[in-house]
């Protein structure tokens, strides 16, 4: 009768112990590759192709343009216009970087730029617009963030393109940059303008 210990048993158990670790490392690598390889500004939105949210927002208190109060967000104003809706805040660092690009974009009179001021103080928001210029034809205030949830906002800044029929044609997550304004946003604007012509 042979009572010698089985030397293969510990080796077999060590593979079983390593198997979950190998599986975890493989999944982690897959997730990292999938997240790291994509453009975060191209996160798909379930709202694309659907009507823009019909939530009216009050005007930014005390904001005027040429001596007249700047109106709040009125969803009815989307019909018949190609509109850019930018969700921003004075406390948002990337919003400071994109503000001059929005001011420049507002020179294109074929489009209407609307702002949703997200969880901000009116004084700070007015100072922000005073510093960079006001690109917005209307600014609605979303003090508690509920309207931004309806828009499917992940965080500020985010920008939506609304076609003349009032539906969301495109969503840009993150700040507008010199690269993505030329490469993505302006071509999407041109498509929306041609679609409604």
């Amino acid at each position: 009768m042979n009572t010698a210990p089985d030397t293969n048993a510990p080796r077999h158990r060590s593979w079983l112990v390593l198997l979950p670790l190998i599986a975890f490392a493989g999944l982690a690598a897959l997730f990292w590759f999938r997240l790291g390889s994509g453009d975060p500004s191209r996160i798909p939105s379930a709202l694309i192709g659907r009507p823009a949210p019909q939530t009216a927002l009050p005007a930014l208190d005390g904001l005027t343009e040429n001596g007249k109060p700047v109106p709040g967000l009125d969803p009815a104003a989307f019909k018949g216009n190609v509109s850019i809706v930018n969700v921003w805040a004075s406390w948002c660092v990337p919003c400071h970087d994109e503000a001059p690009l929005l001011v420049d974009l507002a020179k294109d009179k074929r489009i209407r730029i609307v702002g949703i001021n997200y969880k901000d103080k009116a004084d700070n928001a007015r100072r922000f617009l005073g510093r960079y210029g006001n690109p917005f034809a209307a600014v609605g205030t979303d003090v508690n963030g509920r309207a931004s949830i309806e828009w499917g906002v992940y965080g500020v800044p985010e920008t939506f393109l609304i076609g003349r029929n009032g539906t969301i044609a495109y969503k840009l997550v993150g700040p507008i940059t010199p690269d993505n304004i030329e490469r993505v946003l302006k071509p999407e604007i041109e498509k929306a303008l041609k679609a409604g012509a």
Side-chain angles (χ1 to χ4, degrees):
M1 182 179 236
N2 187 358
T3 57
D6 184 5
T7 56
N8 289 332
R11 200 175 307 158
H12 185 264
R13 273 187 242 128
S14 66
W15 274 107
L16 287 177
V17 170
L18 289 177
L19 191 59
L21 182 61
I22 292 168
F24 174 77
L27 285 173
L30 177 66
F31 286 131
W32 179 82
F33 176 75
R34 295 288 291 168
L35 289 174
S37 65
D39 180 356
S41 68
R42 310 257 292 136
I43 295 172
S45 172
L47 296 178
I48 292 178
R50 295 193 178 182
Q54 295 301 298
T55 304
L57 292 173
L60 179 61
D61 189 39
L63 182 63
T64 60
E65 189 77 29
N66 299 324
K68 295 180 180 176
V70 174
L73 187 141
D74 178 5
F78 292 137
K79 293 283 186 173
N81 294 300
V82 172
S83 303
I84 299 286
V85 177
N86 180 256
V87 184
W88 65 281
S90 65
W91 47 262
C92 158
V93 173
C95 296
H96 289 263
D97 296 334
E98 75 174 7
L101 296 169
L102 282 167
V103 169
D104 193 47
L105 191 61
K107 293 173 186 171
D108 186 343
K109 298 304 176 194
R110 301 173 302 162
I111 59 174
R112 182 173 181 265
I113 302 182
V114 176
I116 295 177
N117 185 233
Y118 179 77
K119 293 186 176 181
D120 209 351
K121 293 184 174 150
D123 290 343
N124 295 341
R126 283 194 310 272
R127 263 194 301 277
F128 178 95
L129 295 174
R131 178 178 180 186
Y132 296 107
N134 181 11
F136 304 119
V139 179
T141 57
D142 186 13
V143 177
N144 59 17
R146 285 192 186 132
S148 297
I149 291 170
E150 290 180 32
W151 280 88
V153 171
Y154 295 103
V156 291
E158 287 191 18
T159 305
F160 298 84
L161 175 63
I162 313 298
R164 285 190 175 103
N165 59 359
T167 63
I168 297 173
Y170 181 75
K171 176 181 180 180
L172 178 71
V173 176
I176 295 171
T177 65
D179 174 56
N180 67 26
I181 197 171
E182 295 298 331
R183 184 176 45 83
V184 181
L185 195 55
K186 284 184 178 179
E188 290 291 339
I189 291 169
E190 291 301 327
K191 274 200 274 187
L193 288 166
K194 287 176 185 168

